[in-house]
Amino acid sequence: MSIPAALAIYFIIWWLTLFAVLPFGVRSQVEAGSVVPGSEPGAPQRAGMLRNVVWTTVIAAVLFGLYYINYTRGFITLDDIPFLPRAVLD
């Protein structure tokens, strides 16, 4: 695997992980009891993006490590997925 390919795969994993991590620990203004006039009541009281980026980076690194180990060792291959049609594998 080339370095640009590895970086592209890591970026895709990182981006998908970010969207999975974003809602964790977010309290809306209504839940916090301090709705700012003129804003959406469901908007977060504090975004906490630095915390989200750190967690996203850690989780994405672990997931990419698992992907890379599987890629180099071949634990799970396309032949191991039973529902793929044979035309996809050829």
Side-chain angles (χ1 to χ4, degrees):
M1 176 183 314
S2 67
I3 292 176
L7 288 174
I9 292 169
Y10 178 78
F11 177 74
I12 291 169
I13 292 172
W14 189 91
W15 197 252
L16 290 172
T17 306
L18 175 66
F19 285 117
V21 168
L22 277 176
F24 294 139
V26 175
R27 292 187 61 198
S28 69
Q29 293 179 21
V30 171
E31 292 172 337
S34 60
V35 177
V36 176
S39 69
E40 171 64 35
Q45 179 190 19
R46 257 187 6 196
M49 282 304 294
L50 180 61
R51 176 182 53 92
N52 287 338
V53 167
V54 169
W55 274 110
T56 298
T57 303
V58 170
I59 294 169
V62 169
L63 291 174
F64 179 78
L66 292 172
Y67 165 78
Y68 187 76
I69 289 170
N70 184 57
Y71 178 79
T72 56
R73 305 281 170 103
F75 295 126
I76 301 173
T77 63
L78 289 176
D79 293 331
D80 296 330
I81 303 174
F83 56 83
L84 281 179
R86 190 70 192 151
V88 172
L89 300 177
D90 292 334

